[in-house]
């Protein structure tokens, strides 16, 4: 979802220190469930992501992206269908699936 040219449908799961959840995406919209206050619909327009917790800006292309959002700066690193998110609080979450990050 974070790559501006990556519109595709998919499903995935993730786990981290705050629990686990699932993501379903279609085009530039993703629905997130089970994420401790981040449940809901997220929509990407260009490099901007609008979601229930506010607006985030995505910088970068390829396998490494930086996300600036209401909670601070996060880094997303991916390879294939495995992605790791390093959160602003120092937490690490892992995502498995074909949802585009």
């Amino acid at each position: 979802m974070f790559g501006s040219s990556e519109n595709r449908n998919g499903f995935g799961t993730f786990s981290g220190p705050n629990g686990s959840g699932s993501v379903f995406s279609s085009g530039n919209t993703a629905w997130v469930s089970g994420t401790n206050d981040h449940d809901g619909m997220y929509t990407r327009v260009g490099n901007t992501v609008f979601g229930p917790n506010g607006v985030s800006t995505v910088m970068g292309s390829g396998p490494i992206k930086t996300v600036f959002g209401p909670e601070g700066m996060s880094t997303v690193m991916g390879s294939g269908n495995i992605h790791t998110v390093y959160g602003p609080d120092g937490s690490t979450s892992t995502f498995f699936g074909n949802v585009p990050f």
Side-chain angles (χ1 to χ4, degrees):
M1 160 147 206
F2 293 136
S4 62
S5 63
E6 298 178 17
N7 281 333
R8 65 180 183 214
N9 301 332
F11 178 79
T13 61
F14 59 90
S15 63
N18 295 323
S20 61
S22 59
V23 178
F24 171 77
S25 72
S26 178
N28 65 346
T29 303
W31 293 267
V32 177
S33 177
T35 59
N36 296 333
D37 299 328
H38 291 174
D39 291 350
M41 183 177 78
Y42 292 80
T43 302
R44 179 186 46 78
V45 178
N47 286 336
T48 304
V49 177
F50 301 90
N53 64 333
V55 178
S56 300
T57 302
V58 181
M59 306 290 288
S61 61
I64 301 175
K65 297 178 179 66
T66 302
V67 181
F68 297 95
E71 299 172 359
M73 183 183 83
S74 299
T75 301
V76 180
M77 300 176 71
S79 177
N81 288 336
I82 301 173
H83 303 275
T84 302
V85 179
Y86 301 95
D89 61 354
S91 64
T92 302
S93 298
T94 304
F95 179 86
F96 303 94
N98 64 345
V99 175
F101 269 87

